[in-house]
Amino acid sequence: PASALLFLSLKDLYTAPDSCEGRCEEPYNDQDECHCHRDCQRHHNCCEDYHRHCSQEGFSRAQDAISDQELLRLSELLYEADHNKAQPTDITINPQYQASSDETADQQDHSPQPLYKYVNEKLFTKPTYSSFIKLLDNYQRATGKEEEVTTEELREQDNFLKEVMKTELMKKLFSFLHQKNRYSSQQEFVADLKEMWFGLYSRGAGQRDSSGFEHIFSGEVKKGKVSGFHNWIRFYLLEKQGLVNYFSHNFDGPWDTFPDVLGLQFSWDGFYKEVGSAFIGCSPEFEFGIYTLCFISRPGRACHLSLDGHSLSIQTYPWTKSTYGNGRRHIATAYIISP
């Protein structure tokens, strides 16, 4: 019956890059592994399950696909709704040396001064910031070392999710995903966010040593290099302690207010990061929300957004070696690819 369409399980609408689940009539994108638009039959490049999902009797309706236009529109709305972001007077950065693309690997410190000249730490007393900062020390950065998760750390995860869900930005994101039949309730959305971001998996030696949150926001060290670590608050706090040394930047976004975007070269306790792209001055919920949107709508592919009239793309990857609840995947990574 037609009414059954409204009660799809999450599994059925969770976008997988090699499947048409939730992607019927999605616009053609040459980065996709396979396609779900009706022309794919003519071009012989449909996903294997195209007929099951997208023929007339298939359940995955065209209006549940998330179009490129909708991503551009929604990202502008989320940008506008970032009420907790830094104001121009809250942060002064000193980017100093701009490295060319063939200098990013040279591991030379071209910038004698720190990147952050000034940050108004009153920002960090806002509930989403303070609950975010509490999560940063919950991780061992070396991959291959099992993460011990205490009850207090689980409480901190729940508290962070509770605080971000109070914001207009995350409410707007949920409302959009709810309209798109991805989640039937806010409770279901929060439960999925918890697993998607904080669920543990193994990056090394079979130990449950990593999660999307740890990798992207806190940073890891793998094979002697910094892996992940795309968050400005984490960078600032470690730079202040003398544990991060800023070397140079190879990209400075077109924004003259916050959030801005930088591509950074730096050393963390002697481990090097060749290009660590980061939003500067956004709230934790902005970054969390934008990455979540891209992971749900374009996993494993470039996700094209618009922020204050400027285009920006995010790349996300699902962790493919393990799944949770109905074959859904944890976040492996998410970062800005710009321009």
Side-chain angles (χ1 to χ4, degrees):
S3 62
L5 291 172
L6 300 174
F7 301 102
L8 306 175
S9 75
L10 269 178
K11 173 180 182 284
D12 298 331
L13 276 173
Y14 203 78
T15 322
D18 57 352
S19 164
C20 284
E21 290 182 319
R23 288 178 54 204
C24 297
E25 294 307 312
E26 190 179 78
Y28 175 80
N29 181 332
D30 59 12
Q31 291 178 314
D32 292 348
E33 289 177 29
C34 56
H35 304 279
C36 306
H37 196 268
R38 65 189 69 160
D39 291 343
C40 72
Q41 295 181 88
R42 206 170 68 231
H43 298 296
H44 307 293
N45 57 9
C46 299
C47 299
E48 278 182 25
D49 58 5
Y50 171 77
H51 286 287
R52 181 153 60 93
H53 293 309
C54 305
S55 59
Q56 281 319 98
E57 61 278 11
F59 60 74
S60 185
R61 300 168 304 163
Q63 66 261 41
D64 291 332
I66 296 171
S67 73
D68 289 352
Q69 282 307 110
E70 285 171 321
L71 284 175
L72 296 175
R73 248 194 332 267
L74 181 62
S75 50
E76 283 291 2
L77 287 175
L78 298 182
Y79 179 86
E80 277 170 39
D82 189 10
H83 306 306
N84 286 325
K85 69 182 177 192
Q87 296 308 305
T89 51
D90 287 330
I91 300 178
T92 311
I93 56 172
N94 182 14
Q96 300 163 83
Y97 188 78
Q98 181 151 5
S100 63
S101 55
D102 51 6
E103 288 176 304
T104 57
D106 68 7
Q107 306 201 24
Q108 298 298 308
D109 183 358
H110 295 288
S111 304
Q113 305 298 315
L115 174 62
Y116 287 92
K117 245 183 173 165
Y118 168 75
V119 171
N120 175 7
E121 292 194 15
K122 274 202 187 124
L123 272 176
F124 301 160
T125 62
K126 294 181 182 218
T128 57
Y129 284 81
S130 59
S131 59
F132 173 82
I133 289 166
K134 281 200 175 82
L135 292 167
L136 295 173
D137 64 359
N138 290 355
Y139 300 103
Q140 302 198 49
R141 68 180 179 188
T143 57
K145 286 194 178 170
E146 181 95 21
E147 292 292 345
E148 300 289 331
V149 185
T150 65
T151 33
E152 184 178 351
E153 288 173 357
L154 288 170
R155 238 195 336 266
E156 288 173 353
Q157 292 171 10
D158 289 336
N159 191 44
F160 171 69
L161 291 169
K162 188 182 85 196
E163 292 301 341
V164 296
M165 287 311 298
K166 289 178 186 170
T167 64
E168 186 195 336
L169 188 152
M170 287 298 285
K171 284 181 178 150
K172 277 194 154 68
L173 175 61
F174 166 69
S175 164
F176 174 79
L177 294 171
H178 178 58
Q179 283 164 10
K180 289 289 178 184
N181 257 324
R182 295 306 201 268
Y183 300 97
S184 61
S185 67
Q186 189 166 304
Q187 194 181 352
E188 190 179 44
F189 180 46
V190 172
D192 195 36
L193 286 174
K194 186 168 183 176
E195 203 47 65
M196 179 196 300
W197 279 98
F198 295 105
L200 292 172
Y201 49 80
S202 170
R203 279 184 198 264
Q207 304 290 328
R208 295 174 76 229
D209 59 353
S210 188
S211 68
F213 187 93
E214 174 185 6
H215 179 82
I216 295 161
F217 293 114
S218 188
E220 298 179 296
V221 170
K222 188 177 181 184
K223 296 182 181 161
K225 286 188 172 163
V226 175
S227 177
F229 196 145
H230 298 284
N231 179 254
W232 77 270
I233 299 167
R234 173 74 162 157
F235 189 101
Y236 165 75
L237 292 171
L238 289 176
E239 185 178 65
K240 190 180 158 188
Q241 290 171 44
L243 296 173
V244 158
N245 180 11
Y246 169 71
F247 283 11
S248 55
H249 67 287
N250 64 310
F251 175 78
D252 187 353
W255 294 270
D256 49 14
T257 179
F258 298 117
D260 195 0
V261 173
L262 282 181
L264 308 169
Q265 289 69 53
F266 60 91
S267 151
W268 177 19
D269 241 0
F271 298 102
Y272 187 62
K273 180 74 178 181
E274 194 172 316
V275 181
S277 58
F279 285 110
I280 311 283
C282 65
S283 68
E285 61 267 27
F286 175 80
E287 218 169 340
F288 190 72
I290 285 282
Y291 290 154
T292 297
L293 170 66
C294 285
F295 181 68
I296 288 172
S297 59
R298 302 285 187 269
R301 299 173 278 154
C303 171
H304 303 299
L305 308 175
S306 177
L307 303 181
D308 200 28
H310 297 286
S311 55
L312 170 127
S313 301
I314 304 279
Q315 177 73 46
T316 66
Y317 287 104
W319 186 253
T320 54
K321 295 174 193 168
S322 59
T323 61
Y324 65 91
N326 282 336
R328 283 169 280 153
R329 302 210 180 265
H330 302 287
I331 292 181
T333 191
Y335 53 89
I336 303 157
I337 44 174
S338 224

